């Protein structure tokens, strides 16, 4: 069933211009305007059984004086304040003014693609590895998608389809569907040796004492977009991000703070700061418990760009609905359709077939 659906999705991608026919003298077809996924209304329906113990979210469409926000101009003023508040909280991002130069270390050719293990400079003087996967046959600039691995010692081999759960091989399969994908290694594993995650976070904080781990992850993910954007075969106006668990957290922050992201999928990351281990030192630290703000504000920053929250009633699920509900109130200011929603597959902290396929369909429709 999955193979058949995957092939059907491949054919659909070809028709919408994500996969271009490879033939002598052929012209790349004009990419049709993105259509809404056919299940958009489904993922915008209120979820039953939402517990009253869920976080009480501050309304997004209310200003500092308690007045309702009815105009896009007024929302943009509040949006700027939200963005500044969160960036101040996570601390200054590392920097690197030089465009990334990738060196190919290894290359192989799975079905339909070229898969390259590359090295590039993240922070100045720090080398990071990632998997760059390109369709073997293409015609014209293609969309680029950053695919971020979960908490696994397989790291970048997971999304690249080298090792690990095949249903999490987002980078490989999206490349086979016609996107250029890049999967960078999270800093917790870079030159890790025998160090723990806590010790890796300490190493970062020695370099950047005023920044939290999410500032590092946001910088690294943005640097990954730089890698994609500097490829001649990538359309820099069609960039997306997808991740599960740890990767979902990174996808949320990247979509919120890097507006190059045109579409995002966040799977089982725990959208509330109380749903997952956001207080870990490599994420937001214990300070998040007293911050007084939650991630529905980041969803407001993402609007009106397409954002899909995937849950399994583990880190995310029906309890996550209030976050989407608040975000929808902001999306409506930009006009309908509102391209966001919650898909709950109810199968725990996993990526079942239906979630995997819907994630690909979301990305191919909107990036």
């Amino acid at each position: 069933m999955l193979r058949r659906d995957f092939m059907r999705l491949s054919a659909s991608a070809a028709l919408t211009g994500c996969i271009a026919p490879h033939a002598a003298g052929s012209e790349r077809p004009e990419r049709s305007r993105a259509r809404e996924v056919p299940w958009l209304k489904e993922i915008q329906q209120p979820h039953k059984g939402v517990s009253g113990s869920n976080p009480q979210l501050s309304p997004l469409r209310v200003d500092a004086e308690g007045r309702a926000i009815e105009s896009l101009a007024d929302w943009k003023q509040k949006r700027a304040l939200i963005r500044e508040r969160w960036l101040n909280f996570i601390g200054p991002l590392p920097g690197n003014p030089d465009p990334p130069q990738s060196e190919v270390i290894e290359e192989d050719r799975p079905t339909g693609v070229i898969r390259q293990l590359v090295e590039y400079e993240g922070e100045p003087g720090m080398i990071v590895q990632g998997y760059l996967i390109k369709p073997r046959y293409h015609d014209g600039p293609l969309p680029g998608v950053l695919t971020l691995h979960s908490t696994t010692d397989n790291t970048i081999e997971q999304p690249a389809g080298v090792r690990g759960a095949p249903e999490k091989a987002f980078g490989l399969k999206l490349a086979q569907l016609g996107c250029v994908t890049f999967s960078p290694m999270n800093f917790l594993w870079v030159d890790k040796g025998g160090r723990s995650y806590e010790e890796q976070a300490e190493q970062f904080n020695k370099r950047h004492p005023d920044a939290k781990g999410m500032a590092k992850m946001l910088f690294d993910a943005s640097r990954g977009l730089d890698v994609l954007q500097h490829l001649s075969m990538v359309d820099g106006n069609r960039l997306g991000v997808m991740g599960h668990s740890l990767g979902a957290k990174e996808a949320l922050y990247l979509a919120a703070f890097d507006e190059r992201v045109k579409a995002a999928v966040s799977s089982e990351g725990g959208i509330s700061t109380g749903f997952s281990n956001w207080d870990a030192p490599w994420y937001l630290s214990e300070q998040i418990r007293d911050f007084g703000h939650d991630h529905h504000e980041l969803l407001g920053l993402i609007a009106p760009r397409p954002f899909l929250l995937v849950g399994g009633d583990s880190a995310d699920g029906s309890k996550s609905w209030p976050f989407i509900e608040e975000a929808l109130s902001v999306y409506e200011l930009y006009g309908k359709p509102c391209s966001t929603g919650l898909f709950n597959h109810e199968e725990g902290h996993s990526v079942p077939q239906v979630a995997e396929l819907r994630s690909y369909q979301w990305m191919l429709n909107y990036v």
Side-chain angles (χ1 to χ4, degrees):
M1 177 66 74
L2 179 59
R3 177 65 179 171
R4 184 176 63 194
D5 290 344
F6 187 77
M7 294 303 293
R8 185 182 299 120
L9 193 57
S10 298
S12 174
L15 290 174
T16 58
C18 288
I19 300 176
H22 181 73
S26 66
E27 295 183 1
R28 183 175 185 269
E30 187 72 21
R31 178 174 181 258
S32 61
R33 185 178 180 181
R35 296 172 294 176
E36 301 301 317
V37 292
W39 34 271
L40 183 63
K41 289 185 179 180
E42 171 194 330
I43 64 173
Q44 294 178 345
Q45 297 303 309
H47 281 239
K48 297 179 180 179
V50 177
S51 169
S53 64
N54 281 345
Q56 296 299 307
L57 303 180
S58 58
L60 291 176
R61 284 183 55 176
V62 173
D63 67 17
E65 283 72 41
R67 298 172 299 199
I69 293 175
E70 301 294 349
S71 72
L72 194 55
D74 287 344
W75 161 250
K76 288 182 177 180
Q77 289 183 12
K78 181 172 182 178
R79 182 186 188 279
L81 294 175
I82 291 173
R83 178 182 172 87
E84 181 180 16
R85 176 192 302 139
W86 278 91
L87 287 176
N88 286 340
F89 175 72
I90 66 173
L93 276 62
N96 192 334
D98 298 324
Q101 302 294 325
S102 301
E103 178 183 355
V104 177
I105 306 302
E106 298 175 4
E107 178 178 302
D108 67 341
R109 300 197 171 206
T111 303
V113 300
I114 301 171
R115 181 170 57 194
Q116 297 173 327
L117 176 63
V118 303
E119 288 185 342
Y120 63 103
E121 187 180 63
E123 293 183 55
M126 301 188 69
I127 301 302
V128 182
Q129 289 191 338
Y131 271 103
L132 179 65
I133 311 181
K134 303 173 283 189
R136 197 177 303 181
Y137 306 116
H138 66 91
D139 186 9
L142 300 175
V145 182
L146 198 69
T147 51
L148 301 167
H149 65 81
S150 60
T151 303
T152 171
D153 287 338
N154 292 329
T155 64
I156 56 178
E157 293 183 325
Q158 178 198 70
V162 177
R163 270 196 311 158
E167 67 272 16
K168 297 174 185 174
F170 302 147
L172 173 62
K173 293 178 184 177
L174 279 170
Q176 290 172 330
L177 288 166
C179 301
V180 180
T181 68
F182 186 58
S183 306
M185 185 177 292
N186 183 281
F187 85 98
L188 294 176
W189 285 267
V190 175
D191 296 326
K192 183 175 185 291
R195 288 192 292 267
S196 66
Y197 301 150
E198 289 86 352
E199 290 169 330
Q200 286 289 83
E202 288 174 7
Q203 291 291 318
F204 167 71
N205 285 133
K206 286 178 181 178
R207 302 192 307 274
H208 304 282
D210 297 324
K212 296 179 174 62
M214 279 312 301
K216 169 64 171 169
M217 293 188 193
L218 175 56
F219 166 77
D220 286 346
S222 291
R223 191 72 170 162
L225 283 188
D226 292 340
V227 171
L228 285 170
Q229 196 170 38
H230 282 83
L231 297 174
S232 60
M233 68 185 299
V234 170
D235 183 342
N237 294 313
R238 298 173 65 190
L239 299 176
V241 63
M242 180 185 298
H244 175 74
S245 193
L246 163 64
K249 290 177 167 68
E250 295 176 283
L252 170 66
Y253 271 73
L254 184 67
F257 295 106
D258 195 323
E259 296 189 16
R260 292 177 296 175
V261 173
K262 296 302 187 289
V265 177
S266 179
S267 168
E268 272 288 304
I271 192 65
S272 171
T273 58
F275 288 175
S276 184
N277 61 334
W278 287 101
D279 59 353
W282 53 90
Y283 289 133
L284 297 173
S285 81
E286 294 180 354
Q287 293 179 26
I288 189 59
R289 300 173 188 171
D290 300 318
F291 183 45
H293 297 274
D294 215 327
H295 285 146
H296 64 302
E297 295 184 346
L298 300 196
L299 298 183
L301 298 183
I302 296 170
R305 291 165 290 141
F307 178 87
L308 175 64
L309 181 62
V310 178
D313 276 337
S314 180
D316 280 304
S318 294
K319 63 184 179 181
S320 308
W321 170 250
F323 289 77
I324 294 297
E325 188 173 39
E326 271 302 314
L328 281 168
S329 71
V330 173
Y331 275 76
E332 288 169 355
L333 287 172
Y334 291 89
K336 294 186 177 181
C338 304
S339 300
T340 190
L342 166 65
F343 173 59
N344 184 9
H345 54 74
E346 302 179 347
E347 294 190 35
H349 197 62
S350 64
V351 184
Q353 292 181 2
V354 62
E356 185 185 5
L357 287 169
R358 284 197 168 187
S359 296
Y360 299 150
Q361 189 176 11
W362 186 270
M363 194 59 61
L364 295 178
N365 256 48
Y366 294 119
V367 77

